[in-house]
Amino acid sequence: MASLEDNYYLGIDVGTGSARAALVKADGTVIASASQDTKTWRDSADHHIFEQSTTDVWKSICTTVREVIARSGVSPKHVKGIGFDATCSLAVTTWEGEPITVTRGSQLGDLGERNIVLWADHRAEREADLINATGSSVLDYVGGTISVRSPPSLWARHATRKPRAPTRRGSHTSFIFFSLRWKYPKFFG
């Protein structure tokens, strides 16, 4: 029977500029950690735009986890839990998890790499104004007005709609859980 000393936990944090992972013992002692940069695209003609890629983020997560496991020398079978944290950004994919481009222009709504509207992105100003103009009592729960960072999903609902397929819109964290469960079930393999 394995003892508590054989139990380890993996923490993964996806931030604005990198994915980080740490392996800790049950008592909180950090055994190993790693960080991998993620790419952010900016639009030189529009300072409101900040985009990333779920493909790049997932690659960075996998790289850091493999690095942490290798550095620690701990067998993956001793990892008893995984915790995630990620920025509040919007990931747009098909129902199968394939990335849908959020970059303006002719590629908008097509399959493509740049499919995350990063938290710092302010392209949804018009949508924020539309929501705030309603005067809805729901706004009382967010201080009376909604931030421009909140309605990118409303923007994406209209902007990425193409006749070919419906989209899945969710947070970074939602995409990570979707990937672990359905797209990459052998995460440690």
Side-chain angles (χ1 to χ4, degrees):
M1 183 168 137
S3 72
L4 192 55
E5 293 176 6
D6 294 331
N7 293 336
Y8 297 88
Y9 301 89
L10 184 63
I12 300 167
D13 176 45
V14 178
T16 303
S18 65
R20 297 165 292 279
L23 187 69
V24 298
K25 291 170 61 173
D27 67 4
T29 304
V30 176
I31 303 302
S33 64
S35 179
Q36 176 73 36
D37 289 345
T38 53
K39 182 173 182 160
T40 300
W41 287 276
R42 299 292 314 274
D43 184 330
S44 60
D46 186 347
H47 69 279
H48 292 93
I49 306 298
F50 291 80
E51 296 172 346
Q52 290 185 330
S53 161
T54 53
T55 303
D56 180 58
V57 167
W58 186 253
K59 180 180 162 196
S60 294
I61 290 169
C62 292
T63 298
T64 59
V65 168
R66 287 187 184 108
E67 194 173 320
V68 162
I69 295 297
R71 284 182 187 173
S72 72
V74 171
S75 169
K77 72 180 180 180
H78 293 295
V79 176
K80 302 302 178 189
I82 302 173
F84 283 97
D85 181 43
T87 62
C88 186
S89 299
L90 176 72
V92 182
T93 68
T94 65
W95 282 101
E96 294 77 30
E98 297 304 316
I100 295 178
T101 302
V102 295
T103 305
R104 68 180 176 187
S106 62
Q107 71 273 25
L108 178 65
D110 291 337
L111 295 178
E113 186 176 19
R114 294 167 65 167
N115 70 312
I116 294 175
V117 177
L118 197 59
W119 66 268
D121 190 289
H122 286 186
R123 73 182 74 197
E125 285 179 334
R126 183 176 27 213
E127 288 76 9
D129 291 343
L130 177 70
I131 292 168
N132 289 327
T134 67
S136 171
S137 61
V138 173
L139 294 171
D140 294 340
Y141 296 99
V142 294
T145 60
I146 195 164
S147 163
V148 70
R149 293 180 181 156
S150 299
S153 187
L154 179 59
W155 170 87
R157 178 178 177 203
H158 298 287
T160 61
R161 189 173 284 163
K162 294 267 180 157
R164 57 160 187 77
T167 61
R168 176 187 303 261
R169 296 173 301 277
S171 68
H172 260 145
T173 307
S174 298
F175 176 79
I176 292 165
F177 285 121
F178 168 79
S179 296
L180 280 173
R181 177 66 180 98
W182 300 108
K183 201 169 180 184
Y184 304 103
K186 296 190 178 189
F187 182 61
F188 287 110

